[in-house]
Every structure is written in C-alpha cells, then in structure tokens.
Amino acid sequence: MSPRTTTDVTAPARMRSYHVDSGAGIDGLTLREHPVPAPGPGQVLVAVRAVSPSYRDLLVLGGRYVLPVRPDVVPVAEGAGEVVALGPGVDTVLVGDRVTASLFPSWQDGPFGLLHLPQLGGTLDGLLTEYALLDAHALVPVPAHLSYAEAATLPCVAVTAWNALTGDGGLRPGQTVVTQGSGGVSLFALQLARALGARVVATTSGPAKAARLAALGADRVVDYRAEPDWPAAVRDATGGAGADRVVDVVGRLDESVRAVALGGHIAMVGFVSETAPPIDARRLFASGAVLRPVAVGSRAQFRELTKVVEQHRIRPVIDRSFPFDRAVDAFRHYASGSAFGKVVIELPPPAA
C-alpha cells in the first residue's frame, strides 16, 4: 500500500483549540484560533469529532496531576475522530478512517516505563481541539457499532478498567468483582466483567443509582448509605469468602482489603477520597492480596479492549453531551460529581 500524504484532502487553514496551564482550573480554559498543522513523517491529522473529560483531566486543570504537564497545553486525552490527512510514510490508516488514540502514544505493549511518560493532554497536546496531530502508531480503530461520542470514552477510563480486570493475567468466569460508584472506570469495569463471565457487586449511594447499576448487570448492589459497612455486605454476598477482585477508584484501601478474598486482587485505580485512612499493613499482609496500581494501559491492551467491546456490543454509558463551544460547561458538569457515566463534548464533522 503506497503511503498517502497531506495532499489527499484539503484541510481548512484555521482551527480552534482550548488551552490551559496546569493549576489554572476550569476557568483557565481558553479558546484560541490558530493555523491547522500539516502532518509530518509518521503523523496523522485527525478531525476530532468528540472528546470526554476524565478525572485525570481535572487533576491536570487543578495542578495535582502526578506526571509532568507542559505550559499552555491542549487538554483532554480521551477522544475520537476522522483521519483527514496522512504524513509521509504512513500506510497503516486511510483518510476517512474512524480512530481513537492511546493516552501514552509510545506505550505499545509490555510494562510501563519512563520512556513512555509523554502523554496526551499532559506533555503532549490533547484532543480538546478541532484538529489534532497524532502519531500513526498510537491510533486504534473505533468499534463499528459505536458513535464518535461513545468511542471518545474509551482511551482512558475504559482502558483503565480493562487493565484493572485483566492486566495481571486475567479475570476468570465465575469470579466476583467489586466496583465502586458510577464513574466511568467503574461502569466500564461492571460491563466488561459481566462480558467476561464474572459476578459483580457494585457499591453506590442511593436507590436511584442502585437501580441503574442493576439494570447494567450488577448481580448485587450495595448502597453504602444504607449499609455503611459495605465490605461486610460484600462478604455476605460471597458466602463469607470476599471478592476475587476489587476495582478501587476511591483510595480507601483499608475497606478494599476487608472486602477482598484471601489471595485476591486489588486494582488501585484512583484516589477520589480526600480522607482515606492509612492502610493497615498487617491486615494487607494477612489477606495475601495483590495490591496493584493501574495507570491506564498500553495500545495492545486498548486493541484487546476494543475487540471485546465489539464482540459483546458494549455501549458506554453517557450522561450528557455538550457542544464544543460549551466545553467549560461540560467540565463544570463533570466536576460536580452528579454525572452517571461519561460527559462528552461533540464537534461537527469537517466541512467538505
């Protein structure tokens, strides 16, 4: 296949992008116009069609992200779009392909390392823009049954959920998984665990959310307002054995240790709780559990995820969609914590 070049399509001369300095907060998001870049060797120009903020992006805006963030960065790592131009030497995608991109472009497979630290929306410009320059080797095809808005939710939270469930060798059918709340990672973990044949015990706050989690396939829902000792409820639901795997997005690891089975697995995905007590090292040792921090995943894991999503016709849960011009409102809605599922920002298709 001969490589296509930037002459395959006519891109507009100007585009708009949101920019921010880490620590400037949501109010620091600034929309600016500038020239559309031309892809260089190995690069692809993508007309972005949808993006989805994640908790990671709130950390970037709040100045609390654990990895470096360059000044005046284009934020947001999750997005999907249409390939509109290819740089020299690119023959792995075609103009018109629907694609997403790995958050860590150089992390193709295997363990994470320092060489893979460059990340979209951090040290590299992200996808809150009308047109994005992306490395061809970072691209992942969009599952055929998903819209751009649905596909935009995959690169960060869905890959993280997949890694949490399978990154240590894999979840087995019949095992029990605990998910926490109704954020993006937790909802994907619920849907993916069910697709892999596992039982799911989901925790949440209130009967309305409990009903929605049950409708998504949770075998048991624990309302921690009605049952504050949710680890005891998990043990009760598992005949006293505890869960084989806990996908912990809160950071209150002492509770996860009490909920996990002997020799089980705790995937530490996040730390949304600001009041987490210190973990009891003796209790962790006695549990025999593996405690594994999870930082998104590789492109190979992303490809595995999309195959399962397509095979099982999984559709991401979207709470609300906003137009590009209201991206600040989308961030505020997401930051409010009221969303059930993902918040999406959509862009119109490129002009013919």
Side-chain angles (χ1 to χ4, degrees):
M1 182 186 300
S2 61
R4 294 174 182 262
T5 69
T6 57
T7 61
D8 290 324
V9 296
T10 301
R14 308 286 291 179
M15 70 181 209
R16 298 177 301 160
S17 304
Y18 283 91
H19 298 255
V20 74
D21 287 323
S22 184
I26 295 174
D27 291 335
L29 285 166
T30 302
L31 183 62
R32 297 206 300 270
E33 185 179 288
H34 45 87
V36 174
Q43 292 183 319
V44 173
L45 183 68
V46 172
V48 180
R49 296 293 303 278
V51 298
S52 183
S54 67
Y55 186 68
R56 167 195 178 273
D57 299 310
L58 293 183
L59 294 177
V60 169
L61 268 60
R64 297 183 294 132
Y65 190 45
V66 296
L67 295 179
V69 178
R70 82 183 206 184
D72 199 40
V73 71
V74 175
V76 185
E78 289 196 299
E82 175 188 351
V83 174
V84 295
L86 310 179
V90 175
D91 60 4
T92 53
V93 295
L94 300 174
V95 169
D97 284 353
R98 302 194 315 144
V99 296
T100 59
S102 295
L103 188 150
F104 296 99
S106 72
W107 187 13
Q108 294 292 299
D109 200 357
F112 188 75
L114 292 177
L115 69 164
H116 302 313
L117 282 181
Q119 83 275 180
L120 297 179
T123 48
L124 306 172
D125 278 336
L127 297 171
L128 195 55
T129 178
E130 292 177 322
Y131 290 87
L133 268 187
L134 298 170
D135 292 334
H137 65 251
L139 301 181
V140 175
V142 169
H145 69 291
L146 296 185
S147 67
Y148 282 114
E150 291 169 324
T153 70
L154 299 178
C156 182
V157 297
V159 176
T160 298
W162 179 254
N163 190 354
L165 294 175
T166 69
D168 64 319
L171 180 68
R172 297 193 299 275
Q175 290 189 322
T176 299
V177 175
V178 170
T179 63
Q180 298 178 325
S182 54
V185 171
S186 297
L187 293 183
F188 272 116
L190 191 166
Q191 293 174 290
L192 292 168
R194 293 292 293 146
L196 295 175
R199 296 179 66 245
V200 176
V201 179
T203 69
T204 192
S205 57
K209 289 182 179 179
R212 296 188 68 178
L213 290 169
L216 283 172
D219 298 274
R220 168 82 158 86
V221 182
V222 179
D223 181 348
Y224 56 78
R225 289 179 179 171
E227 300 180 82
D229 190 358
W230 67 263
V234 169
R235 291 199 169 273
D236 180 66
T238 55
D244 300 286
R245 187 174 300 256
V246 179
V247 180
D248 190 312
V249 301
V250 177
R252 298 182 64 89
L253 296 173
D254 59 316
E255 295 178 337
S256 291
V257 170
R258 290 198 295 118
V260 75
L262 182 65
H265 185 104
I266 302 171
M268 183 184 176
V269 172
F271 38 87
V272 297
S273 173
E274 301 291 342
T275 59
I279 189 170
D280 186 331
R282 290 183 178 84
R283 179 172 285 168
L284 175 61
F285 183 83
S287 74
V290 173
L291 176 60
R292 182 173 67 98
V294 174
V296 196
S298 66
R299 180 175 177 269
Q301 289 174 305
F302 196 171
R303 292 297 301 267
E304 292 171 358
L305 161 73
T306 57
K307 292 175 183 176
V308 172
V309 167
E310 193 152 25
Q311 177 186 353
H312 293 273
R313 309 289 292 182
I314 294 172
R315 289 197 174 276
V317 179
I318 294 178
D319 175 84
R320 187 175 172 187
S321 177
F322 291 78
F324 185 68
D325 290 336
R326 293 184 57 202
V328 171
D329 293 334
F331 266 92
R332 288 189 178 125
H333 177 62
Y334 176 66
S336 73
S338 63
F340 186 98
K342 292 289 285 175
V343 174
V344 173
I345 301 165
E346 295 189 77
L347 293 82

mmCIF file of all heavy atoms in Angstrom, residues 19-26 28-30 60-63 69-73 75:
data_model
loop_
_atom_site.group_PDB
_atom_site.id
_atom_site.type_symbol
_atom_site.label_atom_id
_atom_site.label_comp_id
_atom_site.label_asym_id
_atom_site.label_seq_id
_atom_site.Cartn_x
_atom_site.Cartn_y
_atom_site.Cartn_z
ATOM 1 N N HIS A 19 -6.857 25.796 25.406
ATOM 2 C CA HIS A 19 -5.539 25.725 26.038
ATOM 3 C C HIS A 19 -5.691 26.024 27.526
ATOM 4 O O HIS A 19 -6.627 26.716 27.946
ATOM 5 C CB HIS A 19 -4.576 26.737 25.408
ATOM 6 C CG HIS A 19 -4.309 26.513 23.960
ATOM 7 N ND1 HIS A 19 -3.136 25.993 23.484
ATOM 8 C CD2 HIS A 19 -5.091 26.735 22.863
ATOM 9 C CE1 HIS A 19 -3.187 25.908 22.169
ATOM 10 N NE2 HIS A 19 -4.374 26.355 21.769
ATOM 11 N N VAL A 20 -4.737 25.508 28.320
ATOM 12 C CA VAL A 20 -4.774 25.770 29.756
ATOM 13 C C VAL A 20 -3.392 25.537 30.350
ATOM 14 O O VAL A 20 -2.596 24.749 29.818
ATOM 15 C CB VAL A 20 -5.818 24.858 30.452
ATOM 16 C CG1 VAL A 20 -5.321 23.416 30.553
ATOM 17 C CG2 VAL A 20 -6.213 25.403 31.825
ATOM 18 N N ASP A 21 -3.098 26.229 31.421
ATOM 19 C CA ASP A 21 -1.915 25.945 32.237
ATOM 20 C C ASP A 21 -2.352 25.107 33.425
ATOM 21 O O ASP A 21 -3.388 25.386 34.044
ATOM 22 C CB ASP A 21 -1.260 27.237 32.736
ATOM 23 C CG ASP A 21 -0.533 27.987 31.632
ATOM 24 O OD1 ASP A 21 0.070 27.322 30.761
ATOM 25 O OD2 ASP A 21 -0.576 29.230 31.635
ATOM 26 N N SER A 22 -1.576 24.086 33.750
ATOM 27 C CA SER A 22 -1.912 23.239 34.885
ATOM 28 C C SER A 22 -1.988 24.081 36.149
ATOM 29 O O SER A 22 -1.078 24.861 36.447
ATOM 30 C CB SER A 22 -0.864 22.140 35.054
ATOM 31 O OG SER A 22 -1.223 21.261 36.100
ATOM 32 N N GLY A 23 -3.085 23.931 36.880
ATOM 33 C CA GLY A 23 -3.315 24.714 38.083
ATOM 34 C C GLY A 23 -4.230 25.889 37.866
ATOM 35 O O GLY A 23 -4.694 26.501 38.839
ATOM 36 N N ALA A 24 -4.541 26.215 36.609
ATOM 37 C CA ALA A 24 -5.406 27.363 36.320
ATOM 38 C C ALA A 24 -6.875 27.051 36.536
ATOM 39 O O ALA A 24 -7.702 27.966 36.582
ATOM 40 C CB ALA A 24 -5.178 27.849 34.890
ATOM 41 N N GLY A 25 -7.215 25.752 36.661
ATOM 42 C CA GLY A 25 -8.595 25.368 36.908
ATOM 43 C C GLY A 25 -9.459 25.439 35.660
ATOM 44 O O GLY A 25 -9.007 25.802 34.574
ATOM 45 N N ILE A 26 -10.726 25.093 35.840
ATOM 46 C CA ILE A 26 -11.659 25.092 34.710
ATOM 47 C C ILE A 26 -11.790 26.485 34.105
ATOM 48 O O ILE A 26 -11.860 26.645 32.880
ATOM 49 C CB ILE A 26 -13.031 24.552 35.166
ATOM 50 C CG1 ILE A 26 -12.902 23.074 35.569
ATOM 51 C CG2 ILE A 26 -14.069 24.709 34.062
ATOM 52 C CD1 ILE A 26 -14.157 22.487 36.173
ATOM 53 N N GLY A 28 -9.610 28.530 33.710
ATOM 54 C CA GLY A 28 -8.413 28.856 32.941
ATOM 55 C C GLY A 28 -8.438 28.348 31.512
ATOM 56 O O GLY A 28 -7.521 28.650 30.732
ATOM 57 N N LEU A 29 -9.479 27.582 31.149
ATOM 58 C CA LEU A 29 -9.587 27.090 29.778
ATOM 59 C C LEU A 29 -9.824 28.260 28.828
ATOM 60 O O LEU A 29 -10.758 29.044 29.001
ATOM 61 C CB LEU A 29 -10.737 26.096 29.652
ATOM 62 C CG LEU A 29 -10.490 24.702 30.238
ATOM 63 C CD1 LEU A 29 -11.803 23.944 30.366
ATOM 64 C CD2 LEU A 29 -9.498 23.923 29.368
ATOM 65 N N THR A 30 -8.981 28.387 27.811
ATOM 66 C CA THR A 30 -9.049 29.492 26.869
ATOM 67 C C THR A 30 -9.158 28.946 25.453
ATOM 68 O O THR A 30 -8.355 28.105 25.040
ATOM 69 C CB THR A 30 -7.790 30.375 26.969
ATOM 70 O OG1 THR A 30 -7.658 30.855 28.312
ATOM 71 C CG2 THR A 30 -7.890 31.557 26.025
ATOM 72 N N VAL A 60 -5.167 17.577 36.067
ATOM 73 C CA VAL A 60 -4.312 18.460 35.261
ATOM 74 C C VAL A 60 -4.732 19.907 35.458
ATOM 75 O O VAL A 60 -3.901 20.785 35.741
ATOM 76 C CB VAL A 60 -4.391 18.071 33.771
ATOM 77 C CG1 VAL A 60 -3.729 19.145 32.901
ATOM 78 C CG2 VAL A 60 -3.708 16.725 33.525
ATOM 79 N N LEU A 61 -6.025 20.192 35.333
ATOM 80 C CA LEU A 61 -6.503 21.563 35.487
ATOM 81 C C LEU A 61 -6.275 22.085 36.898
ATOM 82 O O LEU A 61 -6.005 23.272 37.104
ATOM 83 C CB LEU A 61 -7.992 21.647 35.137
ATOM 84 C CG LEU A 61 -8.337 21.994 33.685
ATOM 85 C CD1 LEU A 61 -7.778 20.966 32.712
ATOM 86 C CD2 LEU A 61 -9.840 22.118 33.502
ATOM 87 N N GLY A 62 -6.364 21.186 37.871
ATOM 88 C CA GLY A 62 -6.195 21.597 39.257
ATOM 89 C C GLY A 62 -4.766 21.659 39.728
ATOM 90 O O GLY A 62 -4.493 22.026 40.878
ATOM 91 N N GLY A 63 -3.818 21.294 38.862
ATOM 92 C CA GLY A 63 -2.404 21.317 39.242
ATOM 93 C C GLY A 63 -2.003 20.184 40.153
ATOM 94 O O GLY A 63 -0.986 20.276 40.858
ATOM 95 N N VAL A 69 3.177 18.241 33.121
ATOM 96 C CA VAL A 69 2.231 18.892 32.209
ATOM 97 C C VAL A 69 2.929 20.116 31.630
ATOM 98 O O VAL A 69 3.445 20.952 32.371
ATOM 99 C CB VAL A 69 0.941 19.315 32.927
ATOM 100 C CG1 VAL A 69 -0.004 20.029 31.959
ATOM 101 C CG2 VAL A 69 0.254 18.112 33.564
ATOM 102 N N ARG A 70 2.926 20.215 30.321
ATOM 103 C CA ARG A 70 3.613 21.355 29.711
ATOM 104 C C ARG A 70 2.735 22.606 29.789
ATOM 105 O O ARG A 70 1.501 22.517 29.837
ATOM 106 C CB ARG A 70 3.977 21.046 28.272
ATOM 107 C CG ARG A 70 2.892 21.230 27.272
ATOM 108 C CD ARG A 70 3.382 20.811 25.890
ATOM 109 N NE ARG A 70 2.660 21.482 24.837
ATOM 110 C CZ ARG A 70 2.845 21.227 23.551
ATOM 111 N NH1 ARG A 70 3.725 20.322 23.192
ATOM 112 N NH2 ARG A 70 2.151 21.878 22.642
ATOM 113 N N PRO A 71 3.341 23.787 29.792
ATOM 114 C CA PRO A 71 2.549 25.024 29.824
ATOM 115 C C PRO A 71 1.683 25.156 28.574
ATOM 116 O O PRO A 71 2.053 24.707 27.496
ATOM 117 C CB PRO A 71 3.615 26.125 29.889
ATOM 118 C CG PRO A 71 4.852 25.447 30.376
ATOM 119 C CD PRO A 71 4.782 24.052 29.849
ATOM 120 N N ASP A 72 0.539 25.799 28.746
ATOM 121 C CA ASP A 72 -0.353 26.114 27.631
ATOM 122 C C ASP A 72 -0.722 24.874 26.818
ATOM 123 O O ASP A 72 -0.781 24.900 25.592
ATOM 124 C CB ASP A 72 0.307 27.165 26.715
ATOM 125 C CG ASP A 72 -0.709 27.866 25.816
ATOM 126 O OD1 ASP A 72 -1.815 28.177 26.303
ATOM 127 O OD2 ASP A 72 -0.399 28.079 24.633
ATOM 128 N N VAL A 73 -0.997 23.795 27.513
ATOM 129 C CA VAL A 73 -1.297 22.529 26.842
ATOM 130 C C VAL A 73 -2.741 22.504 26.348
ATOM 131 O O VAL A 73 -3.621 23.144 26.928
ATOM 132 C CB VAL A 73 -1.047 21.346 27.802
ATOM 133 C CG1 VAL A 73 -2.103 21.288 28.913
ATOM 134 C CG2 VAL A 73 -0.991 20.020 27.053
ATOM 135 N N PRO A 75 -5.764 20.371 26.529
ATOM 136 C CA PRO A 75 -6.056 19.285 27.457
ATOM 137 C C PRO A 75 -6.935 18.193 26.841
ATOM 138 O O PRO A 75 -7.358 18.289 25.694
ATOM 139 C CB PRO A 75 -6.797 20.005 28.589
ATOM 140 C CG PRO A 75 -7.516 21.120 27.886
ATOM 141 C CD PRO A 75 -6.591 21.555 26.773
#
